[in-house]
Amino acid sequence: MEKVEKGTLTAQAGPDPMLAPGHSYATVTDKIAAVPLEVGWPKFWIVGFTIAFSILMMLLATITYLVLKGIGIWGVNVPVGWGFDIINFVWWIGIGHAGTLISAILLLLKQQWRMSISRFAEAMTLFAVACAFLYPALHTGRPWVAYWLLPYPNTMSMWPQPRSPLLWDVFAVSTYATISLVFWYVGLIPDLASMRDKAKAKFAQVAYGLLALGWRGSARHWNHYEIASLVLAGMSTPLVLSVHTVVSFDFAVGLIPGWHTTIFPPYFVAGAIYSGFAMVLTLAIPLRAWYKMQDFITMKHIDNMCKVMLATGLIVAYGYFMEAFMSWYSGNLWEQFMFKNRTTGPYGWAYWFLILFNIMVPQVLWLKKARANVALVFILSLVINIGMWLERFVIIVTSLHRDFLPSSWGMYYPTKYDWSMFIGTMGLFLTLLFLFVRLLPAISIFEVRTLIPRAEKGGSH
Amino acid sequence: MRKPLYGLMAEFETPEQLVRAAEAAHHEGYRKMDAYSPLPIEELHHAMHIPDSPLPKFVLAGGIAGMIGGFGLLYWIAAITYPLNVGGRPYNSWPAFIPITFETTVLLAGLTTLVTLVFLCGFPMPYHPVFNVPRFKHASRDRFFLCIEAEDTKFDLQRTKEFLRTLHAHEVAEVEI
């Protein structure tokens, strides 16, 4: 008779467990650690990495040309001075938010299902932030002096403007990248020790050993470690909310119709989590199939992620509705024109596709059958990724291309370099991701161990 | 001549056995000991009477330093060294400084967490005597270990070994330095 001890972490029993039955500490460790240590170079990895790496080379070629010629090779010009660079920056930063949500907010809420997906969701955060970072740095036109954005004593005797949301953004994004890296690394330490102890090759032992810092699973260390994780989660939670809030301030603090609204911060944060979960699903579904990780990333995980998408998608829908309502209710001529232009103007098609992709189609997720259909969920995740990209396109381009005076109206057309740079960042993202799954345990081993039911067989004291 | 001993290491199969063993060892009067497990076990902290980690105090100090430093930097830029008169608005426009002050608070508190964790654990420590036990590599996989250190005043090779055997230890090994 198995009696589950009170107060210990246990996997949920039932038809949709968070960990397939029949696992022990040893099998969990062996199976997850085998991906970097024993699986080696499967065909899908080589093919996938080759494609991703080729796209990354396209990015490097684009950046080289960009640095040589200047940002005139992009489609940005008066009146649309913010084009793909800011659209893609916001898109990538938003994608990163799901990783922190899963690792920090769900940790504080004691959601055990986060454990098997947190590691690679956090990796996804780091890589998405790396992609996002490229855009503002290159948009300065002189990326070699991008450090001018930081406040430091210099011979020009100049300082950045601390009242500007653009400087807030510098601090928010760099803090976010740093703390995400710290959180990710701290989470990796016990698993790096497992990898060190399991590795057979000398090089792998030394490399994992150095990174593990000498972790030996001491109870005294776990004591510090658990509180450190909790503290980091506690800090990352407001941090992640602040990052997209500050990103939305880049717009909301400006006076442009369609940007100057107070709903932007919550609506941007919800949109970020929405797109981030879509990206987690886009990555998790093929990964679990290729590496046969269905035991760890179960249908329960997919189901929960779909529900989070559904909820955040509805918050986003509320944001769209409020934008429409406020443009009417404010009685402001420019706001009303902006909304009319956004829905029926030259970029009206983008708005209606965004409504279709972000609001209409994902309503399928109300059905349990739809959430249980992995192929459908995968397609939906792609649809939402595109929808959220269109949202940023609509917000940025439709507000800018109709200036206050009709004499300064214009159109924005991305050039081939805009596209090669955007697709190129996907190459960077996927290259880093392929290297990550090849070199590090993609699922947190020690956290999955805590999901194993701890059965107490008649204690004797 | 025998090599000096670091301690005696007992191996257990389940977290519950380890917790009970640690409890019993503490009850028996052993103080210089440590338990090793592949996953955090909350009950173990109580069983071994491990004091609460001082880490949060360091983090709080780091966060306060980040807050004061961040706000001070902005105040110094905007009001002292590089004042810009924007339509006669005050130089110390503190509400506009809050977002960056928040970020520097989190940044310093987060970095302090990492540094303090590494410092409190005594890392990096690539060598430790417990690694000399061949079975110890299972401590990061599926086994649970309790090591009573030779420095403990109650430590006696024979008696401690027998004591550990009474705890249903799977195996008791001598840990060489």
Coordinates of all heavy atoms in Angstrom, one line a residue, chain A residues 8-88:
Chain A
T8 N 5.4 16.4 1.0 CA 6.5 16.2 0.0 C 5.9 16.4 -1.4 O 4.7 16.4 -1.6 CB 7.0 14.8 0.1 OG1 5.9 13.9 -0.1 CG2 7.7 14.5 1.4
L9 N 6.8 16.7 -2.3 CA 6.4 16.9 -3.7 C 6.1 15.6 -4.3 O 6.8 14.7 -4.3 CB 7.5 17.6 -4.5 CG 7.8 19.0 -4.0 CD1 9.1 19.5 -4.6 CD2 6.7 19.9 -4.4
T10 N 4.9 15.6 -4.9 CA 4.5 14.3 -5.6 C 4.0 14.6 -7.0 O 3.4 15.7 -7.2 CB 3.5 13.6 -4.8 OG1 2.4 14.5 -4.5 CG2 4.0 13.0 -3.5
A11 N 4.1 13.7 -7.8 CA 3.5 13.8 -9.2 C 2.1 13.6 -9.0 O 1.6 12.8 -8.2 CB 4.2 12.9 -10.1
Q12 N 1.3 14.3 -9.9 CA -0.1 14.1 -9.8 C -0.5 12.8 -10.5 O 0.0 12.5 -11.6 CB -0.7 15.3 -10.6 CG -1.8 16.0 -9.8 CD -2.3 17.2 -10.6 OE1 -2.3 17.2 -11.8 NE2 -2.5 18.2 -9.8
A13 N -1.3 12.1 -9.8 CA -1.7 10.8 -10.5 C -2.9 11.2 -11.4 O -3.3 12.3 -11.4 CB -2.2 9.9 -9.4
G14 N -3.4 10.2 -12.1 CA -4.5 10.5 -13.0 C -4.2 10.2 -14.4 O -3.1 9.8 -14.7
P15 N -5.1 10.5 -15.3 CA -4.9 10.1 -16.7 C -3.8 11.0 -17.3 O -3.1 10.5 -18.3 CB -6.2 10.4 -17.3 CG -6.9 11.4 -16.4 CD -6.4 11.1 -15.1
D16 N -3.6 12.2 -16.9 CA -2.6 13.1 -17.5 C -1.5 13.4 -16.5 O -1.4 14.5 -16.0 CB -3.2 14.4 -18.0 CG -4.0 14.1 -19.3 OD1 -3.6 13.3 -20.1 OD2 -5.0 14.8 -19.5
P17 N -0.6 12.5 -16.2 CA 0.4 12.9 -15.2 C 1.5 13.8 -15.8 O 1.6 14.0 -17.0 CB 1.1 11.5 -14.9 CG 0.9 10.7 -16.1 CD -0.4 11.2 -16.8
M18 N 2.2 14.5 -14.8 CA 3.3 15.4 -15.3 C 4.5 14.6 -15.5 O 5.5 15.2 -16.0 CB 3.5 16.4 -14.2 CG 2.4 17.5 -14.2 SD 2.7 18.7 -13.0 CE 2.2 17.9 -11.5
L19 N 4.5 13.4 -15.1 CA 5.7 12.5 -15.4 C 5.1 11.1 -15.6 O 4.3 10.7 -14.8 CB 6.6 12.5 -14.2 CG 7.8 11.6 -14.2 CD1 8.8 12.1 -15.3 CD2 8.5 11.6 -12.9
A20 N 5.5 10.5 -16.7 CA 5.0 9.2 -17.0 C 5.3 8.3 -15.9 O 6.4 8.4 -15.3 CB 5.6 8.7 -18.3
P21 N 4.4 7.3 -15.6 CA 4.7 6.4 -14.5 C 5.8 5.5 -14.8 O 6.2 5.3 -15.9 CB 3.3 5.6 -14.4 CG 2.6 5.8 -15.7 CD 3.1 7.1 -16.3
G22 N 6.4 4.9 -13.7 CA 7.4 3.9 -13.9 C 8.8 4.5 -13.8 O 9.8 3.8 -14.1
H23 N 9.0 5.8 -13.6 CA 10.3 6.4 -13.5 C 10.9 6.4 -12.1 O 10.1 6.5 -11.1 CB 10.3 7.8 -14.1 CG 10.4 7.9 -15.5 ND1 11.6 7.6 -16.2 CD2 9.6 8.2 -16.5 CE1 11.5 7.7 -17.5 NE2 10.2 8.1 -17.7
S24 N 12.2 6.2 -12.0 CA 12.9 6.4 -10.8 C 13.9 7.4 -10.9 O 14.1 8.0 -12.0 CB 13.6 5.0 -10.4 OG 14.6 4.8 -11.4
Y25 N 14.6 7.8 -9.8 CA 15.6 8.8 -9.8 C 16.7 8.4 -10.9 O 17.1 9.3 -11.6 CB 16.3 8.9 -8.5 CG 15.4 9.3 -7.3 CD1 15.4 8.5 -6.2 CD2 14.6 10.4 -7.4 CE1 14.5 8.9 -5.1 CE2 13.8 10.8 -6.4 CZ 13.7 10.0 -5.3 OH 12.9 10.4 -4.3
A26 N 17.0 7.2 -11.0 CA 18.1 6.7 -11.9 C 17.6 6.9 -13.4 O 18.3 7.5 -14.2 CB 18.4 5.3 -11.6
T27 N 16.4 6.5 -13.7 CA 15.9 6.5 -15.1 C 15.8 7.9 -15.5 O 16.1 8.3 -16.7 CB 14.6 5.7 -15.3 OG1 13.6 6.3 -14.5 CG2 14.8 4.3 -15.0
V28 N 15.3 8.8 -14.7 CA 15.1 10.2 -15.0 C 16.5 10.8 -15.4 O 16.6 11.4 -16.4 CB 14.4 11.0 -13.8 CG1 14.6 12.5 -14.0 CG2 13.0 10.6 -13.7
T29 N 17.4 10.6 -14.5 CA 18.8 11.1 -14.7 C 19.3 10.6 -16.0 O 19.8 11.3 -16.9 CB 19.7 10.7 -13.5 OG1 19.0 10.9 -12.3 CG2 21.0 11.5 -13.6
D30 N 19.3 9.3 -16.2 CA 19.9 8.6 -17.3 C 19.3 9.1 -18.6 O 20.0 9.4 -19.6 CB 19.8 7.1 -17.2 CG 20.6 6.6 -16.1 OD1 21.4 7.4 -15.5 OD2 20.5 5.4 -15.7
K31 N 18.0 9.2 -18.6 CA 17.3 9.5 -19.9 C 17.5 11.0 -20.3 O 17.8 11.2 -21.5 CB 15.8 9.3 -19.7 CG 15.1 9.3 -21.1 CD 13.9 8.4 -21.2 CE 13.5 8.4 -22.7 NZ 12.1 8.4 -22.9
I32 N 17.5 11.9 -19.4 CA 17.7 13.3 -19.7 C 19.2 13.5 -20.0 O 19.5 14.2 -21.0 CB 17.2 14.2 -18.6 CG1 15.7 14.0 -18.4 CG2 17.4 15.7 -19.0 CD1 15.1 14.8 -17.3
A33 N 20.1 13.0 -19.2 CA 21.5 13.2 -19.5 C 22.0 12.5 -20.7 O 23.0 12.9 -21.3 CB 22.3 12.7 -18.3
A34 N 21.3 11.5 -21.2 CA 21.7 10.8 -22.4 C 21.7 11.7 -23.6 O 22.4 11.4 -24.5 CB 20.8 9.5 -22.6
V35 N 20.8 12.7 -23.6 CA 20.7 13.5 -24.8 C 22.0 14.1 -25.2 O 22.5 14.0 -26.3 CB 19.5 14.5 -24.7 CG1 19.5 15.5 -25.9 CG2 18.2 13.7 -24.7
P36 N 22.6 14.9 -24.3 CA 23.9 15.4 -24.6 C 25.1 14.3 -24.6 O 26.0 14.5 -25.3 CB 24.2 16.5 -23.6 CG 23.0 16.6 -22.8 CD 22.2 15.4 -23.0
L37 N 25.0 13.3 -23.7 CA 26.1 12.5 -23.5 C 26.1 11.3 -24.4 O 27.2 10.8 -24.8 CB 26.1 12.0 -22.1 CG 26.4 13.0 -21.0 CD1 26.3 12.4 -19.6 CD2 27.8 13.6 -21.2
E38 N 25.0 10.7 -24.7 CA 25.0 9.4 -25.5 C 24.3 9.5 -26.8 O 24.8 8.8 -27.7 CB 24.4 8.3 -24.6 CG 25.3 7.8 -23.5 CD 24.5 7.3 -22.4 OE1 23.5 6.6 -22.6 OE2 24.9 7.4 -21.2
V39 N 23.3 10.3 -27.0 CA 22.6 10.3 -28.2 C 23.5 10.8 -29.4 O 23.4 10.3 -30.5 CB 21.3 11.1 -28.2 CG1 20.6 11.3 -29.5 CG2 20.3 10.5 -27.2
G40 N 24.4 11.7 -29.1 CA 25.4 12.1 -30.1 C 24.8 13.0 -31.1 O 24.3 14.0 -30.8
W41 N 25.0 12.6 -32.4 CA 24.7 13.5 -33.5 C 23.6 12.8 -34.4 O 23.9 12.3 -35.4 CB 25.9 13.7 -34.4 CG 27.1 14.1 -33.6 CD1 28.1 13.2 -33.1 CD2 27.5 15.4 -33.1 NE1 29.1 14.0 -32.4 CE2 28.7 15.3 -32.4 CE3 26.9 16.7 -33.3 CZ2 29.4 16.4 -31.8 CZ3 27.6 17.8 -32.7 CH2 28.8 17.6 -32.0
P42 N 22.4 12.8 -33.9 CA 21.3 12.2 -34.7 C 21.1 13.0 -36.0 O 21.5 14.2 -36.1 CB 20.1 12.3 -33.8 CG 20.4 13.3 -32.8 CD 21.8 13.4 -32.6
K43 N 20.5 12.4 -37.0 CA 20.3 13.0 -38.3 C 19.5 14.3 -38.2 O 19.9 15.3 -38.8 CB 19.6 12.0 -39.2 CG 20.0 12.3 -40.7 CD 19.4 11.2 -41.6 CE 20.5 10.3 -42.1 NZ 20.0 9.1 -42.7
F44 N 18.4 14.3 -37.4 CA 17.6 15.5 -37.4 C 18.4 16.7 -36.8 O 18.2 17.8 -37.2 CB 16.3 15.3 -36.6 CG 16.5 15.0 -35.2 CD1 16.7 15.9 -34.2 CD2 16.4 13.6 -34.7 CE1 16.9 15.6 -32.9 CE2 16.6 13.3 -33.4 CZ 16.9 14.3 -32.5
W45 N 19.3 16.4 -35.9 CA 20.1 17.4 -35.3 C 21.1 18.0 -36.4 O 21.1 19.3 -36.5 CB 20.9 16.9 -34.1 CG 21.6 18.0 -33.3 CD1 21.0 18.6 -32.2 CD2 22.8 18.7 -33.6 NE1 21.9 19.6 -31.8 CE2 22.9 19.7 -32.6 CE3 23.8 18.6 -34.5 CZ2 24.1 20.5 -32.5 CZ3 24.9 19.4 -34.5 CH2 25.0 20.4 -33.5
I46 N 21.7 17.2 -37.1 CA 22.7 17.6 -38.1 C 22.0 18.5 -39.2 O 22.4 19.6 -39.5 CB 23.4 16.4 -38.7 CG1 24.3 15.8 -37.6 CG2 24.3 16.9 -39.9 CD1 25.1 14.7 -38.0
V47 N 20.8 17.9 -39.7 CA 20.1 18.6 -40.7 C 19.6 20.0 -40.2 O 19.8 21.0 -40.8 CB 18.9 17.8 -41.2 CG1 18.0 18.6 -42.1 CG2 19.4 16.5 -41.9
G48 N 19.0 19.9 -39.0 CA 18.4 21.2 -38.4 C 19.5 22.2 -38.1 O 19.4 23.4 -38.4
F49 N 20.6 21.7 -37.5 CA 21.7 22.7 -37.2 C 22.3 23.3 -38.5 O 22.6 24.5 -38.5 CB 22.8 21.9 -36.4 CG 23.9 22.9 -36.0 CD1 23.7 23.7 -34.9 CD2 25.1 22.9 -36.7 CE1 24.7 24.6 -34.6 CE2 26.1 23.7 -36.3 CZ 25.9 24.6 -35.3
T50 N 22.4 22.5 -39.5 CA 23.0 23.0 -40.8 C 22.1 24.1 -41.3 O 22.6 25.1 -41.8 CB 23.1 21.8 -41.8 OG1 23.8 20.7 -41.2 CG2 23.9 22.3 -43.0
I51 N 20.8 23.8 -41.3 CA 19.9 24.9 -41.9 C 20.0 26.1 -41.0 O 20.2 27.2 -41.5 CB 18.4 24.3 -41.9 CG1 18.4 23.2 -42.9 CG2 17.5 25.4 -42.3 CD1 17.0 22.4 -42.8
A52 N 19.9 25.9 -39.7 CA 19.9 27.1 -38.8 C 21.3 27.9 -38.9 O 21.3 29.1 -39.0 CB 19.8 26.6 -37.3
F53 N 22.3 27.1 -39.0 CA 23.6 27.8 -39.1 C 23.8 28.5 -40.5 O 24.4 29.6 -40.5 CB 24.8 26.7 -39.0 CG 26.1 27.3 -38.7 CD1 26.4 27.9 -37.5 CD2 27.1 27.3 -39.7 CE1 27.6 28.5 -37.3 CE2 28.3 27.9 -39.5 CZ 28.6 28.5 -38.2
S54 N 23.2 28.0 -41.5 CA 23.3 28.7 -42.8 C 22.5 30.0 -42.7 O 23.0 31.0 -43.2 CB 22.7 27.8 -43.9 OG 23.1 26.5 -43.8
I55 N 21.4 30.0 -42.0 CA 20.6 31.2 -41.9 C 21.3 32.2 -41.0 O 21.3 33.4 -41.3 CB 19.2 30.9 -41.3 CG1 18.4 29.9 -42.2 CG2 18.3 32.1 -41.1 CD1 17.1 29.4 -41.7
L56 N 22.0 31.7 -40.0 CA 22.9 32.5 -39.2 C 23.9 33.2 -40.0 O 24.2 34.4 -39.9 CB 23.5 31.7 -38.1 CG 24.6 32.5 -37.2 CD1 24.0 33.7 -36.5 CD2 25.2 31.5 -36.2
M57 N 24.5 32.5 -41.0 CA 25.5 33.1 -41.9 C 24.9 34.2 -42.7 O 25.5 35.3 -43.0 CB 26.1 32.1 -42.8 CG 27.0 31.0 -42.1 SD 28.4 31.8 -41.2 CE 27.9 31.7 -39.6
M58 N 23.6 34.0 -43.1 CA 22.9 35.1 -43.8 C 22.8 36.3 -43.0 O 23.0 37.5 -43.4 CB 21.6 34.6 -44.3 CG 20.8 35.6 -45.1 SD 19.3 34.8 -45.7 CE 18.2 35.0 -44.3
L59 N 22.5 36.1 -41.7 CA 22.5 37.2 -40.7 C 23.8 38.0 -40.7 O 23.8 39.2 -40.7 CB 22.1 36.7 -39.3 CG 22.1 37.8 -38.2 CD1 20.9 38.8 -38.4 CD2 22.0 37.2 -36.9
L60 N 24.9 37.2 -40.6 CA 26.2 37.9 -40.5 C 26.5 38.7 -41.7 O 27.0 39.8 -41.7 CB 27.3 36.8 -40.2 CG 27.2 36.1 -38.8 CD1 28.4 35.3 -38.6 CD2 27.0 37.1 -37.7
A61 N 26.1 38.1 -42.9 CA 26.4 38.8 -44.2 C 25.6 40.1 -44.2 O 26.1 41.2 -44.5 CB 26.0 37.9 -45.3
T62 N 24.3 40.0 -43.7 CA 23.4 41.2 -43.7 C 24.0 42.3 -42.8 O 24.1 43.5 -43.1 CB 22.0 40.8 -43.2 OG1 21.6 39.8 -44.0 CG2 21.1 42.0 -43.3
I63 N 24.5 41.8 -41.6 CA 25.0 42.8 -40.6 C 26.3 43.4 -41.2 O 26.5 44.6 -41.0 CB 25.3 42.1 -39.3 CG1 24.0 41.7 -38.6 CG2 26.0 43.0 -38.3 CD1 24.1 40.9 -37.3
T64 N 27.1 42.6 -41.8 CA 28.3 43.2 -42.4 C 28.0 44.3 -43.4 O 28.5 45.4 -43.4 CB 29.1 42.1 -43.2 OG1 29.3 41.0 -42.2 CG2 30.5 42.6 -43.6
Y65 N 27.0 44.0 -44.3 CA 26.6 45.0 -45.3 C 26.0 46.2 -44.6 O 26.2 47.3 -45.0 CB 25.6 44.3 -46.3 CG 25.3 45.2 -47.5 CD1 26.4 45.5 -48.4 CD2 24.1 45.6 -47.8 CE1 26.1 46.3 -49.5 CE2 23.8 46.4 -48.9 CZ 24.8 46.8 -49.7 OH 24.6 47.6 -50.8
L66 N 25.2 45.9 -43.6 CA 24.6 47.0 -42.9 C 25.6 48.0 -42.2 O 25.5 49.2 -42.3 CB 23.7 46.4 -41.8 CG 22.9 47.4 -40.9 CD1 21.6 47.9 -41.7 CD2 22.5 46.8 -39.6
V67 N 26.6 47.4 -41.7 CA 27.7 48.2 -41.0 C 28.4 49.0 -42.1 O 28.8 50.1 -41.9 CB 28.6 47.3 -40.2 CG1 29.8 48.1 -39.7 CG2 27.8 46.8 -39.0
L68 N 28.6 48.4 -43.2 CA 29.4 49.0 -44.3 C 28.6 50.2 -44.9 O 29.1 51.3 -45.1 CB 29.7 48.1 -45.4 CG 30.8 47.1 -45.1 CD1 30.9 46.0 -46.3 CD2 32.2 47.8 -44.9
K69 N 27.3 50.0 -45.1 CA 26.5 50.9 -45.9 C 25.6 51.9 -44.9 O 25.3 52.9 -45.4 CB 25.5 50.2 -46.8 CG 26.1 49.4 -47.9 CD 26.8 50.3 -48.9 CE 25.8 50.8 -50.0 NZ 26.5 51.5 -51.1
G70 N 25.3 51.4 -43.8 CA 24.4 52.2 -42.9 C 23.0 51.7 -43.0 O 22.7 50.9 -43.9
I71 N 22.2 52.2 -42.1 CA 20.8 51.7 -42.0 C 19.9 52.1 -43.1 O 18.7 51.8 -43.2 CB 20.1 51.9 -40.6 CG1 20.1 53.4 -40.3 CG2 20.8 51.2 -39.5 CD1 19.1 53.8 -39.2
G72 N 20.5 52.9 -44.1 CA 19.7 53.2 -45.3 C 19.3 52.0 -46.1 O 18.4 52.1 -46.9
I73 N 20.0 50.9 -45.9 CA 19.6 49.7 -46.6 C 18.3 49.1 -46.1 O 17.7 48.3 -46.7 CB 20.7 48.6 -46.6 CG1 20.9 48.1 -45.2 CG2 22.0 49.1 -47.2 CD1 21.7 46.8 -45.2
W74 N 17.8 49.6 -44.9 CA 16.5 49.2 -44.4 C 15.4 50.0 -45.0 O 15.7 51.1 -45.6 CB 16.5 49.3 -42.9 CG 17.2 48.3 -42.1 CD1 17.7 47.1 -42.6 CD2 17.6 48.3 -40.8 NE1 18.4 46.4 -41.6 CE2 18.3 47.1 -40.5 CE3 17.4 49.2 -39.7 CZ2 18.8 46.8 -39.2 CZ3 17.9 48.9 -38.5 CH2 18.6 47.8 -38.2
G75 N 14.2 49.6 -44.9 CA 13.1 50.4 -45.4 C 12.7 51.6 -44.6 O 11.7 52.3 -44.9
V76 N 13.3 51.8 -43.4 CA 12.8 52.9 -42.5 C 13.2 54.2 -43.1 O 14.3 54.4 -43.7 CB 13.4 52.8 -41.1 CG1 12.7 51.7 -40.3 CG2 14.9 52.5 -41.1
N77 N 12.3 55.2 -43.1 CA 12.5 56.5 -43.6 C 11.4 57.4 -43.0 O 10.4 56.9 -42.4 CB 12.5 56.5 -45.1 CG 13.4 57.6 -45.6 OD1 13.6 58.7 -45.0 ND2 14.0 57.4 -46.7
V78 N 11.4 58.7 -43.2 CA 10.3 59.5 -42.8 C 9.1 59.2 -43.6 O 9.2 59.0 -44.8 CB 10.7 61.0 -43.0 CG1 9.6 61.9 -42.7 CG2 12.0 61.4 -42.2
P79 N 7.9 59.0 -43.0 CA 7.6 59.2 -41.6 C 7.7 57.9 -40.8 O 7.6 58.0 -39.6 CB 6.1 59.6 -41.7 CG 5.6 58.8 -42.9 CD 6.7 58.8 -43.9
V80 N 8.0 56.7 -41.4 CA 8.1 55.5 -40.6 C 9.5 55.3 -40.2 O 10.3 54.6 -40.9 CB 7.5 54.3 -41.3 CG1 7.5 53.1 -40.5 CG2 6.0 54.6 -41.8
G81 N 9.9 55.9 -39.1 CA 11.3 55.7 -38.7 C 11.6 54.5 -37.9 O 12.7 54.1 -37.6
W82 N 10.5 53.9 -37.4 CA 10.7 52.6 -36.7 C 10.0 51.5 -37.5 O 8.8 51.5 -37.6 CB 10.0 52.7 -35.3 CG 10.8 53.3 -34.2 CD1 12.0 53.9 -34.4 CD2 10.4 53.4 -32.9 NE1 12.4 54.3 -33.2 CE2 11.5 54.1 -32.2 CE3 9.3 53.0 -32.1 CZ2 11.5 54.4 -30.9 CZ3 9.3 53.3 -30.7 CH2 10.4 54.0 -30.1
G83 N 10.7 50.6 -38.1 CA 10.1 49.6 -38.9 C 10.4 48.2 -38.3 O 10.1 48.0 -37.2
F84 N 11.0 47.4 -39.1 CA 11.3 46.0 -38.7 C 12.2 46.0 -37.5 O 12.1 45.1 -36.7 CB 12.0 45.2 -39.8 CG 11.1 44.4 -40.7 CD1 9.8 44.9 -40.9 CD2 11.5 43.2 -41.2 CE1 8.9 44.1 -41.7 CE2 10.6 42.4 -41.9 CZ 9.3 42.9 -42.2
D85 N 13.1 47.0 -37.3 CA 14.0 46.9 -36.2 C 13.3 46.9 -34.9 O 13.6 46.1 -34.0 CB 15.0 48.1 -36.3 CG 14.3 49.4 -36.7 OD1 13.1 49.3 -37.2 OD2 14.8 50.5 -36.6
I86 N 12.3 47.8 -34.8 CA 11.6 47.8 -33.5 C 10.5 46.7 -33.4 O 10.3 46.1 -32.3 CB 10.9 49.2 -33.2 CG1 12.0 50.3 -33.4 CG2 10.3 49.3 -31.8 CD1 13.1 50.2 -32.4
I87 N 9.9 46.4 -34.5 CA 8.9 45.4 -34.6 C 9.5 44.1 -34.1 O 9.0 43.4 -33.2 CB 8.3 45.1 -36.0 CG1 7.6 46.4 -36.5 CG2 7.4 43.9 -36.0 CD1 7.3 46.3 -38.0
N88 N 10.7 43.8 -34.7 CA 11.3 42.5 -34.3 C 11.9 42.5 -32.9 O 12.0 41.5 -32.2 CB 12.4 42.1 -35.4 CG 11.7 42.0 -36.7 OD1 10.6 41.6 -36.8 ND2 12.5 42.2 -37.8

